[in-house]
Amino acid sequence: MASIGSLHFIMGTKTDNSVLVHSSTNPRLRFPFFTNRPRSSIEVSGINASANGSAGAARMCRGRISWCTRGKLWRIKPLRAIRKSSAEGEDAGEPEDALQATIEKSKKVLAVQRELLQQISERRKLVSSIQNSDISQEEGEASFEQGNESFSNAESSSSSVDKSVDQIGSIVLSSYEHSTEEKDFETVPSALSGGLDEIEKDHGDALPFDKSPSELESSNHVGKDSSKTEWSDGLPTFLTNPEWSMLKDDELIDLKETSEEEVSDGATGFTSEDVKPPPLAGPNVMNVILVAAECAPWSKTGGLGDVAGALPKALARRGHRVMVVAPRYGDYAEPQDSGVRKAYKVDGQYMEVAYFHAYIDGVDFVFIESAVFRHMEHNIYGGKREDILKRMVLFCKAAVEVPWLVPCGGVCYGDGNLAFIANDWHTALLPVYLKAYYRDNGLMIYTRSILVIHNIAHQYKELFAWIISVKFIQGRGPVADFSFVDLPGHYLDLFKMNDPIGGEHFNIFAAGLKTADRVVTVSHGYAWELKTVDGGWGLHGIINENDWKFRGIVNGIDTEDWNPQYDVFLKSDGYTNYSLETLKTGKAQCKAALQKELGLPVREDVPVIGFIGRLDHQKGVDLIAEAIPWMMGQDVQLIMLGSGRPDLEEMLRAFEHQHRDKVRGWVGFSVQTAHRITAGADILLMPSRFEPCGLNQLYAMNCGTIPVVHAVGGLRDTVHPFNPYEESGLGWTFDSAEVGKLIHALGNCFYTYRDYKQSWEGIQRRGMMQDLSWDHAAQNYEEVLVAAKYQW
Ligand SMILES: Nc1ncnc2c1ncn2[C@@H]1O[C@H](COP(=O)(O)OP(=O)(O)O[C@H]2O[C@H](CO)[C@@H](O)[C@H](O)[C@H]2O)[C@@H](O)[C@H]1O
């Protein structure tokens, strides 16, 4: 990696020794090359990536672009290697030769440059003679444009150079904005001159940097006219970026000439894209890697999957380069094998992983394949505690190296401006590995980690775990489990906890919270609750201690997936898409289709209540059970969809069995049914005992379905209670998890449904008119990412 001020470049070596250099601050800067000195063993950031056929081997350096030479040869001038390795032995004695070769090449490139400037000057003369000729202006323009389209634009005014530069791209332009005077010209290619100065000093050769700014500018312009010049795109645009002048360190990386086609392609893509407006994130653009155990639509057991599938897209829309890393549980259609293989030691055994890649909606999705993940999509958090732990160790070890190993769009992410977003205890080891394996060793020192708490009490699904559930949350286990995580002994203290429930135990979430640079949770309400004894599930102390780096950000929703106007699950079986304009008819049709599909009496006047969720203590299903006798006395229909605790699944079946004309209890996991219930029901019931954010109430409101919720965590943040006097609010809430309160809220809801149709429609419309998209949350995440970036 070459680090140039805030620009960072990584070189990745592939099996064929081709190398890609890119800026991690501006992902569009990509340059493909071939090394002329393939190495047999290369160290990257502590990764000993042996090149014995292993694709994805890479090496890291800090360096300075010293110059470019004829035939698209680019060179990064080194100062020092980041790490000494045995591979260095191979290079002994090479720097002298390399510097000499560099000087020779610099001479050549400058000769070419002179030649180009000469050509420009001749063309200028030709243009002015055309302009002064007797030919009519119109005829003149026509013929001129035919013969020299790009050139004519540039020459049409005294500021022709600026215009041509403008065409080349904003980075080039910005470099020229810094070079309006001749003395500045010498600093324009400061990366060049700086590097050459050093060479001069060392070798006493004078280097001919004696051109005027306008001449150099012209050479850039000429570069655009590929038919006239040897450089199809002029001076390499990244060399003219003023940020290159901020180069500090270097290490020699020799790069052989690339094919003309490759360089031309790379540079063309860069220049044409770069004229686009600046990203929403402005100068805060970062490389972001979200790591999660599930990612919709490929894998999902709950809300985490939805977030992992949607938040990255919103971050990418703001201009960040974003990747999601998730396990590859099945044979997914889109991701392709990247060819990268790596083995990681887990519990004393090496396990091989393969990396698959897909680029969708502006996001790189990288899936980690391993025998231990195969066919686990329905049992992601299932199995013996040790097995779950090993899976997560393997996943986090493999994920933290993805930025070095997997060329996304041909280019690895590298560690510059990089932040990982880990999610829940399953990936809470990632911040710890980042610190222990890398940052403690002076590697990836600018990389940051953010840990998001979606659920502090997420449980393992170990057999009977629900009976003694608290022992199976947060990656808890006996202290001896430390041996699985493969960390230096002094890291044990980070994991050790002692609380009344677990006694002295090992806790992965605790270590992640302490180590992450920032901690986020998914609503303001839950952020507050986590600091309390009741809400923190034993971790409130750590969260309070780390309050300075802790923040609540309310989730958004994927407004394409969960939009009744486009929802793919509403296009068949009698359902229909609808919008705010067609709410009345469209929603009524969906309701009828739902009743019909589930075999309930098709009646428009009966309120349909939906429930969707994991069947466990958190979701308050037992409160619904207590309310069933009262509910069945009302003229209502109740549709419940869920899976989880066997006893609660059985309860759902029993409800349906006992009240066949009013209740449907669908046990299982069906995304289609979830969408159809959300659109077809009138009311969504969420009596959760705690709810970090909750997505179903957001999906419901977006579909004109009115939530009735226990006012906790994110439910309190997002469902403002209906106020009949002001005709405001979005639903009904109750303030404690008691059946009486639930019944009271539901009673008011039924009453309004039946007797106050206008108020009902008002609530529906207000819900649908909210901006629930991820865009706002993404902006908040960006603030956290930037805060982490500047924190030490
Ligand atoms: N049987 C089933 N069939 C089909 N789909 C089903 C289903 N059961 C649940 N789902 C779906 O899974 C998702 C559940 O999302 P939630 O946010 O309600 O809960 P979860 O508790 O899993 O997430 C945790 O993380 C999220 C994300 O941060 C927080 O919102 C939440 O409060 C926290 O508990 C929804 O998309 C829902 O439709």
Side-chain angles (χ1 to χ4, degrees), residues 587 591 594 608-610 676-684 704-705:
K587 193 160 175 62
K591 178 173 169 176
L594 181 67
V608 173
I609 309 163
R676 289 179 168 181
I677 293 173
T678 305
D682 298 295
I683 300 156
L684 187 85
T705 303

Side-chain angles (χ1 to χ4, degrees), residues 300 302-303 306 454 555 614 618-619 668 670 691-696:
K300 166 173 163 175
D306 286 351
H454 297 268
N555 285 334
R614 282 180 290 108
Q618 176 192 346
K619 300 294 177 183
S670 164
E691 195 60 79
C693 177
L695 294 173
N696 286 324

Side-chain angles (χ1 to χ4, degrees), residues 437-745:
Y437 294 164
Y438 299 93
R439 285 167 67 173
D440 282 359
N441 295 304
L443 300 164
M444 296 180 89
I445 53 170
Y446 301 109
T447 303
R448 299 288 177 265
S449 61
I450 287 130
L451 179 58
V452 184
I453 306 173
H454 297 268
N455 191 338
I456 202 87
H458 195 286
Q459 296 167 21
Y460 296 171
K461 262 173 79 179
E462 194 173 57
L463 197 58
F464 303 126
W466 53 272
I467 296 174
I468 38 176
S469 57
V470 83
K471 293 209 166 173
F472 296 87
I473 59 172
Q474 303 164 355
R476 285 175 181 232
V479 176
D481 276 0
F482 182 68
S483 64
F484 287 113
V485 293
D486 196 16
L487 283 163
H490 64 275
Y491 269 78
L492 176 60
D493 284 348
L494 284 177
F495 292 85
K496 248 190 193 168
M497 293 268 302
N498 199 337
D499 64 29
I501 310 159
E504 189 178 64
H505 69 277
F506 168 85
N507 191 312
I508 291 178
F509 223 153
L513 292 171
K514 289 179 203 165
T515 316
D517 295 295
R518 295 270 152 171
V519 178
V520 169
T521 192
V522 291
S523 71
H524 310 291
Y526 195 55
W528 180 85
E529 286 166 20
L530 282 173
K531 292 183 213 164
T532 65
V533 177
D534 287 343
W537 290 69
L539 295 179
H540 55 282
I542 294 172
I543 292 169
N544 278 301
E545 280 161 25
N546 289 281
D547 197 26
W548 64 271
K549 63 176 183 184
F550 181 52
R551 175 168 173 186
I553 299 177
V554 178
N555 285 334
I557 65 169
D558 187 324
T559 46
E560 276 178 27
D561 265 13
W562 289 90
N563 188 332
Q565 205 170 348
Y566 311 111
D567 196 322
V568 290
F569 299 112
L570 304 181
K571 292 188 186 298
S572 53
D573 301 330
Y575 293 85
T576 186
N577 289 119
Y578 61 93
S579 63
L580 198 59
E581 286 70 40
T582 55
L583 169 65
K584 258 190 163 161
T585 53
K587 193 160 175 62
Q589 188 175 328
C590 288
K591 178 173 169 176
L594 181 67
Q595 289 168 325
K596 188 165 170 229
E597 186 182 356
L598 299 183
L600 286 166
V602 179
R603 286 177 51 201
E604 198 180 344
D605 59 331
V606 64
V608 173
I609 309 163
F611 169 89
I612 303 161
R614 282 180 290 108
L615 301 179
D616 63 13
H617 172 82
Q618 176 192 346
K619 300 294 177 183
V621 197
D622 50 323
L623 283 182
I624 301 181
E626 283 186 57
I628 282 277
W630 170 82
M631 253 194 257
M632 293 303 103
Q634 312 288 311
D635 186 17
V636 295
Q637 292 178 352
L638 173 67
I639 299 170
M640 297 179 73
L641 168 67
S643 59
R645 266 171 48 178
D647 59 329
L648 296 176
E649 289 184 349
E650 200 44 54
M651 194 175 77
L652 246 62
R653 292 191 189 99
F655 289 160
E656 176 172 329
H657 188 68
Q658 289 156 14
H659 309 279
R660 286 207 65 83
D661 57 334
K662 288 187 173 177
V663 179
R664 286 295 171 271
W666 182 310
V667 174
F669 197 93
S670 164
V671 174
Q672 171 171 291
T673 310
H675 278 250
R676 289 179 168 181
I677 293 173
T678 305
D682 298 295
I683 300 156
L684 187 85
L685 185 56
M686 290 185 74
S688 308
R689 290 183 187 281
F690 68 95
E691 195 60 79
C693 177
L695 294 173
N696 286 324
Q697 83 279 11
L698 303 178
Y699 299 146
M701 290 190 280
N702 213 38
C703 290
T705 303
I706 297 180
V708 176
V709 304
H710 177 204
V712 279
L715 296 175
R716 185 172 45 206
D717 284 10
T718 56
V719 182
H720 305 297
F722 170 59
N723 181 335
Y725 304 106
E726 295 174 2
E727 287 293 343
S728 64
L730 300 161
W732 279 268
T733 62
F734 49 100
D735 59 14
S736 63
E738 293 166 33
V739 67
K741 302 239 172 164
L742 184 152
I743 288 172
H744 182 73

